[in-house]
Amino acid sequence: MLNLFELYNKMKDEEIVLAFNGVMTEDLLSSVFQMMDIKSEVNPQDLRRKKKVNNILVECLQNIYHHGDDLTGEKSMDSPRTVMFLICKSADHHYRIITGNHMLRSSVMDLKDKIDKVNSLTSEELKNLYRDVLSTNVLSEKGGAGLGIIDLVRKSGNKIEYSFDDVNDRYSFFSLIVNVD
């Protein structure tokens, strides 16, 4: 059972800039990006960090939009494109971008291995991997070249935190946290 007081204590030191739980659409993506741009214009004191946060947010949301698995026809599952995301800001102006989406359990190990590999690399090794992936131009079934995870670590300067929670025998829920200093 959800303990609201525990959640309150975890979140009291952070401002929730934006929270969403529902169906991801192209219109929603456009609205979120526009809203974040407006928020950046309203409070320009830390424009460089806000630009960095916006770039990472774009990558995170595009990843869950383009790479989330379609659950159409799954009984007792949410809508095919149901996702969640939170953007939190701490008192010292550090941000956390948290996303979650469903994915096939059969894809979990591959994604886990990719994240672990990227998390283990130095900044120089990340730069080289990024160049290597760009030069191969190999696209996945869903149209990505595998640059998203690399970009998240490079742009944020931090390792990605993640978890996979089993939903049923076919699906897991993938949670991702990117901290932006």
Side-chain angles (χ1 to χ4, degrees):
M1 182 172 173
L2 173 67
N3 183 324
L4 196 54
F5 186 65
E6 283 180 30
L7 182 59
Y8 168 78
N9 281 329
K10 285 181 182 178
M11 302 303 287
K12 72 180 176 185
D13 294 329
E14 293 183 318
E15 168 191 349
I16 297 177
V17 177
L18 185 63
F20 177 81
N21 180 34
V23 177
M24 177 66 75
T25 64
E26 285 187 42
D27 289 339
L28 173 67
L29 284 174
S30 296
S31 296
V32 168
F33 300 149
Q34 183 178 15
M35 193 178 333
M36 292 305 291
D37 281 342
I38 290 169
K39 284 186 174 280
S40 292
E41 290 172 15
V42 170
N43 191 3
Q45 69 214 26
D46 193 2
L47 196 56
R48 184 170 182 251
R49 181 175 289 148
K50 288 187 183 292
K51 183 177 179 183
K52 186 185 211 185
V53 169
N54 284 342
N55 287 337
I56 292 168
L57 176 64
V58 166
E59 186 64 47
C60 286
L61 295 183
Q62 286 180 338
N63 279 345
I64 60 176
Y65 180 74
H66 293 294
H67 300 291
D69 287 315
D70 191 342
L71 308 178
T72 303
E74 281 296 314
K75 294 179 181 162
S76 75
M77 294 293 287
D78 295 331
S79 175
R81 289 277 180 208
T82 298
V83 301
M84 64 81 52
F85 59 86
L86 281 164
I87 304 162
C88 306
K89 181 173 94 173
S90 65
D92 60 357
H93 300 282
H94 287 70
Y95 288 81
R96 278 191 312 142
I97 298 171
I98 304 165
T99 64
N101 63 285
H102 294 91
M103 64 180 290
L104 291 168
R105 285 180 67 182
S106 60
S107 302
V108 166
M109 286 309 295
D110 185 46
L111 181 56
K112 181 186 180 319
D113 290 345
K114 286 178 184 176
I115 294 171
D116 288 343
K117 178 182 178 182
V118 170
N119 276 345
S120 73
L121 299 176
T122 65
S123 60
E124 187 63 31
E125 291 169 329
L126 279 171
K127 189 187 322 182
N128 291 335
L129 178 60
Y130 187 86
R131 286 184 193 146
D132 290 346
V133 171
L134 267 180
S135 68
T136 62
N137 286 329
V138 176
L139 298 180
S140 71
E141 293 174 7
K142 295 185 180 181
L147 295 174
I149 294 167
I150 300 166
D151 249 358
L152 291 177
V153 174
R154 286 183 70 211
K155 288 178 181 176
S156 71
N158 294 302
K159 298 191 182 314
I160 295 172
E161 297 174 42
Y162 67 91
S163 67
F164 298 97
D165 295 293
D166 292 339
V167 175
N168 61 29
D169 61 336
R170 291 193 61 209
Y171 292 95
S172 289
F173 191 80
F174 171 51
S175 302
L176 176 84
I177 299 174
V178 180
N179 293 296
V180 185
D181 300 326

